[in-house]
């Protein structure tokens, strides 16, 4: 009898998760805009998750609302989209499916009657259990959200925190965490103490690729883990060896972030100057598909004025010939402005709400859909007030 090849059930499950998200999204596209006709059938509201309803929805930002009550949320979230001109356009990059997680990068565009454009840049991870998505973890340009939604939604002004922060969360309740304890939403794969001066752009050289040019899935994970250790060691030359000539680091956000950001060392200079204790960094297990590696990172440090820097990041690395050629990073940009911007020259620059779309964060567009704009409940034949 001929031996049957081993069946990779992990890969099968990951593919099933991918197909479930795609099928739900395709169905939601058919309910993208309410009819403008009187006496039309009831409209079935959709969301960017395309009908998927996780138990936990966690966003790496400060909660803008006073509570999780839908009424409080509507007060801060409805200001801008309630005067939108139509449905929200969403473009998704290629999915990455690994183990029980699906990862996507995406961008949204909402055109407002006040002449501004909501054009946020995101990534999220959807976690599955027994064929159902049970958790969403989202990262976006929170500074952009505050610029557009905050003005019309009367968002409260943030002050630098003095204790570990708590992410914005909706869905099933979770056990409370002591005020002085760090919150984490992923299984911690590694923890390192890092000199904040190591948070700077690399200078790629001609060093050979640390693990060779041809890397398998486990090699790609190892490469990212070795980079973590190199940065924690404080050896910048060792860090440089992980990056290819022409490396680019995109950070979802307005200046000082973006495709052409300030040098990272300049962005993080206030952290290096005012740190009063270790910079702790916690890392997730790397996710891998093809030549992409995704990792979630939490960072925490106490500062010399009694405040804390406690940010949340998600990074996707593109790897070619054994080296990183591009990293795209998503984090709570508003937190950087609130905590570090008060000491930086870039923090004194006023950023206006944009009136046109930004350069896309996506490397490729797997699909573009339209989804109903939340809180846009105005009859289409009724003029704006």
């Amino acid at each position: 009898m001929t031996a049957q090849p081993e069946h990779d059930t992990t890969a099968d499950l990951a593919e099933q998760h991918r197909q479930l998200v795609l099928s739900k999204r395709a169905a939601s596209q058919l309910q993208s805009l309410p009819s403008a006709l009187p006496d039309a059938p009831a409209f079935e509201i959709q969301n960017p998750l395309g009908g998927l309803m996780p138990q936990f929805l966690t966003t790496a930002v400060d909660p803008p609302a006073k509570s999780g009550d839908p009424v409080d949320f509507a007060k801060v979230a409805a200001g801008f989209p309630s005067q939108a001109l139509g449905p929200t356009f969403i473009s998704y990059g290629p999915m990455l499916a690994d183990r029980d997680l699906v990862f996507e990068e995406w961008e949204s565009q909402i055109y407002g009657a006040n002449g501004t454009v909501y054009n946020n840049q995101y990534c999220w991870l959807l976690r599955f259990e027994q064929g159902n998505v049970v958790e969403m973890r989202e990262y976006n340009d929170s500074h952009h959200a505050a610029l557009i939604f905050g003005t019309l939604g009367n968002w409260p002004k943030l002050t630098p925190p003095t204790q570990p922060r708590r992410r914005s969360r909706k869905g099933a309740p979770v056990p409370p965490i002591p005020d002085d304890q760090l919150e984490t939403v992923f299984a911690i794969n590694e923890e390192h103490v890092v000199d904040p001066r190591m948070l700077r752009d690399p200078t790629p050289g001609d060093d050979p690729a640390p693990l060779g040019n041809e890397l398998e899935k486990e090699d790609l994970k190892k490469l990212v883990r070795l980079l973590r250790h190199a940065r924690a060691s404080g050896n910048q030359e060792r860090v440089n060896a992980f990056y290819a000539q022409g490396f680019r680091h995109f950070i979802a956000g307005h200046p000082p972030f973006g495709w052409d950001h300030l040098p990272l060392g300049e962005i993080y200079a206030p952290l290096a100057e005012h740190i009063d204790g270790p910079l702790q960094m916690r890392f997730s297990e790397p996710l891998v598909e093809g030549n992409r590696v995704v990792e979630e990172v939490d960072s925490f440090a106490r500062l010399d004025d009694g405040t804390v820097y406690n940010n949340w990041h998600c990074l996707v690395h593109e790897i070619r010939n054994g080296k990183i050629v591009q990293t795209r990073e998503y984090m709570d940009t508003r937190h950087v402005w609130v905590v570090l911007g008060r000491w930086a020259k870039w923090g004194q620059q006023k950023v206006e709400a944009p009136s046109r779309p930004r350069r896309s964060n996506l490397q490729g567009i797997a699909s573009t859909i339209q989804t109903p704009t939340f809180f846009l409940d105005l009859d289409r034949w009724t003029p704006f007030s």
Side-chain angles (χ1 to χ4, degrees):
M1 181 179 292
T2 304
Q4 296 297 315
E6 280 192 26
H7 198 57
D8 189 347
T9 56
T10 302
D12 282 351
L13 282 174
E15 184 58 27
Q16 289 174 25
H17 298 155
R18 189 200 320 264
Q19 293 303 322
L20 175 62
V21 176
L22 290 173
S23 65
K24 291 284 189 179
R25 186 169 296 157
S28 74
Q29 174 68 86
L30 299 176
Q31 290 283 333
S32 61
L33 191 66
S35 173
L37 298 174
D39 302 322
F43 178 65
E44 184 180 339
I45 192 68
Q46 302 294 303
N47 62 48
L49 281 165
L52 297 169
M53 294 301 295
Q55 299 171 22
F56 304 97
L57 297 94
T58 304
T59 307
V61 299
D62 287 290
K66 294 180 180 179
S67 73
D69 185 277
V71 174
D72 284 339
F73 177 72
K75 288 179 182 177
V76 299
F80 176 77
S82 66
Q83 51 94 61
L85 298 176
T88 301
F89 291 79
I90 299 180
S91 292
Y92 297 91
M95 287 184 184
L96 182 156
D98 188 11
R99 304 192 306 274
D100 62 341
L101 291 168
V102 166
F103 168 84
E104 286 183 293
E105 295 170 272
W106 52 292
E107 66 174 334
S108 62
Q109 293 186 22
I110 308 174
Y111 296 89
N114 66 348
T116 59
V117 178
Y118 182 71
N119 176 209
N120 212 329
Q121 301 167 325
Y122 316 73
C123 73
W124 62 17
L125 296 101
L126 307 176
R127 185 172 66 82
F128 287 77
E129 288 181 3
Q130 299 179 344
N132 297 308
V133 61
V134 295
E135 181 182 8
M136 180 207 78
R137 301 198 293 270
E138 180 184 279
Y139 301 80
N140 65 57
D141 178 8
S142 51
H143 179 227
H144 178 77
L147 283 173
I148 302 295
F149 280 68
T151 301
L152 295 176
N154 296 314
W155 284 20
K157 183 177 179 180
L158 294 182
T159 56
T162 57
Q163 293 285 354
R165 301 167 65 214
R166 301 293 178 252
R167 295 165 172 84
S168 181
R169 188 186 297 273
K170 300 181 183 66
V174 296
I177 304 172
D179 289 344
D180 60 350
Q181 182 176 319
L182 294 180
E183 177 195 57
T184 188
V185 295
F186 54 82
I188 298 171
N189 179 249
E190 291 187 61
E191 297 184 63
H192 293 290
V193 170
V194 177
D195 184 334
R197 292 173 295 182
M198 295 299 294
L199 302 180
R200 56 179 172 173
D201 292 313
T203 304
D206 296 324
D207 305 87
L211 295 176
N213 292 352
E214 300 295 330
L215 303 183
E216 301 294 333
K217 183 173 183 177
E218 290 304 316
D219 298 324
L220 292 171
K221 291 183 180 182
K222 184 177 181 181
L223 184 76
V224 169
R225 293 193 185 104
L226 288 175
L227 173 59
R228 298 169 181 173
H229 286 267
R231 188 166 283 119
S233 76
N235 188 328
Q236 186 61 40
E237 288 188 8
R238 189 184 303 172
V239 170
N240 291 341
F242 287 82
Y243 294 93
Q245 296 278 2
F247 166 78
R248 295 194 72 180
H249 187 161
F250 166 76
I251 305 174
H254 294 283
F257 310 111
W259 281 106
D260 298 304
H261 61 257
L262 287 176
L264 282 184
E266 193 171 333
I267 292 175
Y268 287 110
L271 177 61
E273 182 180 350
H274 293 278
I275 197 167
D276 186 23
L279 171 60
Q280 304 172 50
M281 302 191 74
R282 297 175 164 189
F283 301 87
S284 70
E285 170 75 12
L287 303 174
V288 177
E289 186 175 67
N291 65 333
R292 290 181 293 165
V293 182
V294 173
E295 58 177 344
E296 294 177 271
V297 184
D298 287 358
S299 57
F300 179 86
R302 294 195 177 276
L303 307 180
D304 57 13
D305 66 345
T307 63
V308 302
Y309 179 76
N310 181 195
N311 213 334
W312 308 300
H313 319 249
C314 187
L315 297 90
V316 52
H317 307 286
E318 301 268 5
I319 299 170
R320 298 281 192 283
N321 298 321
K323 290 191 174 186
I324 302 172
V325 296
Q326 186 177 116
T327 294
R328 296 184 296 281
E329 180 174 0
Y330 302 82
M331 63 172 159
D332 185 354
T333 48
R334 193 182 185 199
H335 181 66
V336 180
W337 274 84
V338 169
V339 177
L340 304 184
R342 56 198 166 127
W343 291 311
K345 287 184 179 180
W346 54 259
Q348 310 310 311
Q349 305 299 316
K350 182 175 176 59
V351 180
E352 300 288 348
S355 58
R356 62 182 184 180
R358 298 187 279 179
R359 183 174 178 183
S360 175
N361 57 311
L362 303 178
Q363 289 302 288
I365 297 178
S367 64
T368 297
I369 71 165
Q370 293 168 273
T371 191
T373 299
F374 284 123
F375 306 112
L376 182 58
D377 54 4
L378 182 73
D379 286 339
R380 290 177 63 194
W381 51 84
T382 302
F384 289 113
S385 59

